[in-house]
Amino acid sequence: MRAVVVGGGASGRAIGAAIAARGWAVQLSSRRTGFDVLRDDVVAALNGADVVVEATGRFTTGRRRATDFFVRSTTAVGSAAAAVGARHVLLSIVGCERPEVQGYGYFAGKAAQERAAATTGAELSVVRSTQWHEFAEQNAGRFRVGRFVLVPGMTVAPVALETVAAVVGDVVTGKRSGRRVEVAGPQVTTLRAMTEALPDPAGRIVPVRLPGALGRAFRDGALLPGPEAEIVGPSFDEWVAVPAAH
């Protein structure tokens, strides 16, 4: 059996490793390997695949840019998966469709991506997770200004990327079934607390109180999972205490 993982970065590598560990052949396709999902022949790239995992990403807070990218990506991948007879597994975010977070372009784009994926004709499974444990370090890198790290107010239940990758691996290989699987970590915390716990936050932490309804939603728990989510460890505190594990 063969899977193609579309999308580079940490998530693509982790998912590829999880699928390979389950005995499947895996092909990673991304711009790092010379493949552009928006320009190249996706049907040719997926030829011979039993399952395609879409783990594409483009960091932006702009709603139009995020929606354009994610809808075009998933339309190309889902349509190609249908053409070659492969299942389509889409990596997404818990709560991205909630009305109170649509003011954040990335979430609006992911919600639009899920809707578009459902119309391509491929057999679809969506794996949603809360923010990854790695999110704090990613945020610190993206929002560093000189000696300062800007940290917006967010209440989250983070989950380890390797744990999410294992869940995706189970969905790909048929150990899990269902049109949607949601996973979250066992610890409710804040992005500030996560950043403060990093061995090297790379600067002085400056809390940022995002304005308006979106800021309130982030602080008040709009990113937390609902009762349908499966809670999986390790907790963030356990994860960050063992640097060698990540």
Side-chain angles (χ1 to χ4, degrees):
M1 304 296 282
R2 180 170 176 267
V4 176
V5 179
V6 180
S11 61
R13 293 191 296 272
I15 291 169
I19 296 171
R22 285 154 175 78
W24 279 40
V26 182
Q27 172 185 314
L28 301 181
S29 296
S30 70
R31 283 180 289 181
R32 291 187 178 186
T33 67
F35 173 74
D36 189 325
V37 69
L38 300 185
R39 297 183 180 183
D40 294 332
D41 186 340
V42 184
V43 172
L46 302 188
N47 190 38
D50 297 287
V51 180
V52 54
V53 179
E54 186 178 3
T56 57
R58 178 165 295 178
F59 177 71
T60 176
T61 58
R63 181 169 184 162
R64 180 177 297 181
R65 186 180 181 196
T67 300
D68 176 73
F69 172 77
F70 284 122
V71 169
R72 290 173 64 199
S73 170
T74 212
T75 299
V77 171
S79 299
V84 302
R87 289 191 291 122
H88 181 191
V89 177
L90 174 63
L91 184 63
S92 193
I93 303 171
V94 165
C96 64
E97 84 292 0
R98 293 171 184 165
E100 59 268 38
V101 301
Q102 296 309 294
Y104 187 66
Y106 194 87
F107 290 154
K110 292 297 289 185
Q113 182 184 34
E114 289 190 15
R115 294 192 297 270
T119 69
T120 63
E123 181 182 346
L124 176 67
S125 296
V126 178
V127 178
R128 288 177 160 187
S129 78
T130 51
Q131 287 64 42
W132 302 331
H133 290 340
E134 292 83 356
F135 178 53
E137 188 171 7
Q138 291 172 347
N139 182 81
R142 289 168 177 163
F143 296 105
R144 180 177 179 180
V145 181
R147 297 181 293 109
F148 302 96
V149 174
L150 307 182
V151 181
M154 291 184 179
T155 301
V156 293
V159 63
L161 172 56
E162 286 192 0
T163 299
V164 177
V167 171
V168 174
D170 286 347
V171 171
V172 167
T173 58
K175 293 181 179 179
R176 289 174 181 258
S177 60
R179 291 185 57 82
R180 191 167 82 186
V181 177
E182 294 196 354
V183 292
Q187 179 183 354
V188 175
T189 184
T190 65
L191 180 56
R192 178 179 179 177
M194 292 170 66
T195 308
E196 289 173 340
L198 293 175
D200 181 12
R204 180 179 176 182
I205 296 170
V206 178
V208 177
R209 187 179 179 87
L210 297 177
L214 179 63
R216 287 194 301 274
F218 281 174
R219 294 189 297 273
D220 293 346
L223 304 180
L224 296 179
E228 66 278 8
E230 179 181 349
I231 306 303
V232 289
S235 70
F236 178 78
D237 286 348
E238 292 169 335
W239 179 85
V240 79
V242 186
H246 50 87

